[in-house]
């Protein structure tokens, strides 16, 4: 059975260790029993103002505070492990020390972070494609004969002074050959 001192010691170990600490297999059930016993002892109506009843109430309040702090420390460590797992691909560090619900949260967060990374990569790849296919407005400074694009499309011919909105790559090629100038937007 879990005692107040056990709970305090568990929090102390979790607090001062970088690694996620292994908790007893029945830790959550034992904590529920601890709370139930303290509530029962604290609600003893025979000795409502006795020292023992006050001590039980105080241990219940402090025990719940210790438990909350323990869970917060563990959540922070799990989040750090999620970050490490998504950045390095190493997922087994401290995994065996997680409580079942922590493992479930960890797995879901890793999957969510990976989905986010994939979406970001897709977004960046889409932007690169858009930029490659972006057009530029140019004004022709010379007559340009009909020519084929790298994709095999025929474009032109263009006359001196004509404004044309064409693929950025082709526009830069015409500007570098002094056959066109960029139009300021």
């Amino acid at each position: 059975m879990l005692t107040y001192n056990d709970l305090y010691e568990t929090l102390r170990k979790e607090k001062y260790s970088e690694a996620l600490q292994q908790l007893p297999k029945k830790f959550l059930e034992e904590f529920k029993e601890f709370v139930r016993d303290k509530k029962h002892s604290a609600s003893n109506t025979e000795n409502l103002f006795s020292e023992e009843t006050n001590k039980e109430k105080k241990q219940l309040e402090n025990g719940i505070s210790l438990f909350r702090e323990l869970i917060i420390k563990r959540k922070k460590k799990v989040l750090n492990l999620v970050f490490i797992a998504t950045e390095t691909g190493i997922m087994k560090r401290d995994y065996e020390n997680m409580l079942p619900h922590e493992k479930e949260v960890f797995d879901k967060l890793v999957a969510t972070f990976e989905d986010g990374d994939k979406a970001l990569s897709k977004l960046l790849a889409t932007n690169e494609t858009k930029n490659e296919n972006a057009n530029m407005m140019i004004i022709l400074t010379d007559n340009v004969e009909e020519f084929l694009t790298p994709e095999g499309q025929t474009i032109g011919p263009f006359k001196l002074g004509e404004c044309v909105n064409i693929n950025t790559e082709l526009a830069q090629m015409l500007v570098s050959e002094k056959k066109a100038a960029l139009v300021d937007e």
Side-chain angles (χ1 to χ4, degrees):
M1 176 163 163
L2 187 70
T3 65
Y4 178 80
N5 289 337
D6 294 335
L7 195 55
Y8 179 81
E9 189 61 27
T10 302
L11 174 61
R12 189 188 65 73
K13 285 179 184 176
E14 196 71 58
K15 216 180 213 183
Y16 295 109
S17 172
E18 190 175 316
L20 196 62
Q21 297 300 297
Q22 184 164 5
L23 298 176
K25 292 203 183 287
K26 304 261 184 193
F27 179 77
L28 294 176
E29 290 83 9
E30 289 179 4
F31 179 72
K32 279 173 49 177
E33 189 177 323
F34 168 82
V35 170
R36 188 174 36 249
D37 289 347
K38 294 297 178 189
K39 278 184 179 178
H40 177 70
S41 297
S43 67
N44 187 354
T45 55
E46 294 173 11
N47 297 323
L48 192 59
F49 298 106
S50 73
E51 277 299 312
E52 191 62 33
T53 303
N54 289 336
K55 179 181 173 188
E56 295 295 323
K57 284 181 183 178
K58 201 61 162 166
Q59 278 192 353
L60 174 61
E61 290 172 11
N62 290 343
I64 291 172
S65 293
L66 292 174
F67 181 77
R68 284 185 180 142
E69 189 174 347
L70 174 68
I71 295 303
I72 289 170
K73 293 281 181 211
R74 293 182 66 84
K75 282 180 182 178
K76 286 180 182 178
K77 289 181 181 183
V78 168
L79 284 174
N80 191 40
L81 292 172
V82 167
F83 178 73
I84 290 169
T86 57
E87 293 302 311
T88 65
I90 300 170
M91 299 175 86
K92 295 300 177 191
R93 183 174 172 239
D94 292 340
Y95 193 78
E96 63 278 352
N97 292 343
M98 291 181 195
L99 297 171
H101 76 279
E102 291 172 332
K103 287 179 182 179
E104 187 178 325
V105 168
F106 175 82
D107 291 337
K108 286 179 182 178
L109 287 173
V110 167
T112 301
F113 272 66
E114 288 172 349
D115 289 347
D117 287 346
K118 286 177 190 173
L120 179 61
S121 294
K122 187 176 178 180
L123 180 68
L124 292 175
T126 302
N127 282 345
E128 285 175 10
T129 305
K130 284 180 183 174
N131 287 341
E132 288 173 9
N133 295 329
N135 289 345
M136 292 180 84
M137 184 66 78
I138 57 171
I139 188 164
L140 281 290
T141 57
D142 198 359
N143 291 328
V144 177
E145 297 292 320
E146 185 177 292
F147 62 95
L148 289 176
T149 66
E151 292 83 27
Q153 288 181 313
T154 304
I155 62 170
F158 302 113
K159 296 185 187 220
L160 173 74
E162 196 174 340
C163 279
V164 182
N165 188 11
I166 63 171
N167 178 288
T168 301
E169 196 174 301
L170 296 174
Q172 289 174 342
M173 180 184 73
L174 290 171
V175 169
S176 69
E177 292 177 1
K178 308 262 191 250
K179 293 188 179 202
L182 294 176
V183 175
D184 293 329
E185 294 186 47

